[in-house]
Each structure stands twice: as C-alpha cells, then as structure tokens.
Amino acid sequence: MKKDIHPSDYRPVVFKDMSNGDMFLTRSTCKTKETIEFEGETYPLVKVEISNTSHPFYTGKATLVDTAGRVDKFFSRYAAARKQS
C-alpha cells in the first residue's frame, strides 16, 4: 500500500445499527464524540439507523411495489389535463 494516502484521522471505528443493536468494526474518518467498549478495546462509536443486518433487501424481507399499477392510476387521474394541453 502507498504511504501517506489516508487522512491522519483514519482509524478503527465501531458502527452500531440502532434498529437491532448489531455492531461492526471498520476503519473510518467519521467524527464522533461517543465511545464504546468492543471486543475488549475502546473505540469511537457511530450510530446508524440501518445496516445490512436490518435492511429488508439484505434480510430477504423486501416487498415488491406494483409500479405499473401506480403509473396507470396516475395517467387515469390526469388524462383530462393531458388532453387539454
């Protein structure tokens, strides 16, 4: 790896998913004032609302949206306005 390409504050940081409490350690330059004890060490803490452990796409609980029905509904509502133009 090349020397001196990372910012000086590039350090290990714990990200905590607030929806399910899952935490993971990675390196980041995120600014934070909070710290947490993780695997016997104290690290800066960054709280996130959603991560891969709670996002519906990654958990397999994603729902499909009927976009075709929405488009048809939009066109039927505004058909009169389109004809006047």
Side-chain angles (χ1 to χ4, degrees):
M1 180 169 18
K2 293 182 181 179
K3 293 183 180 185
D4 301 325
I5 62 169
H6 291 293
S8 60
D9 60 346
Y10 188 66
R11 68 207 184 287
V13 175
V14 172
F15 285 85
K16 182 175 183 179
D17 186 341
M18 299 309 291
S19 63
N20 64 4
D22 187 50
M23 296 186 290
F24 58 94
L25 179 66
T26 187
R27 297 179 62 87
S28 177
T29 60
C30 291
K31 307 280 189 245
T32 182
K33 295 179 181 177
E34 296 181 65
T35 59
I36 193 168
E37 188 79 19
F38 184 73
E39 297 178 350
E41 296 285 328
T42 302
Y43 297 103
L45 173 67
V46 177
K47 296 178 180 177
V48 293
E49 295 296 321
I50 196 162
S51 70
N52 65 326
T53 60
S54 62
H55 193 281
F57 178 80
Y58 295 106
T59 60
K61 297 179 182 174
T63 58
L64 297 175
V65 178
D66 179 21
T67 55
R70 289 183 181 184
V71 171
D72 291 338
K73 188 175 181 181
F74 173 81
F75 282 134
S76 65
R77 261 192 202 163
Y78 298 102
R82 284 182 33 193
K83 289 179 184 178
Q84 292 175 1
S85 309

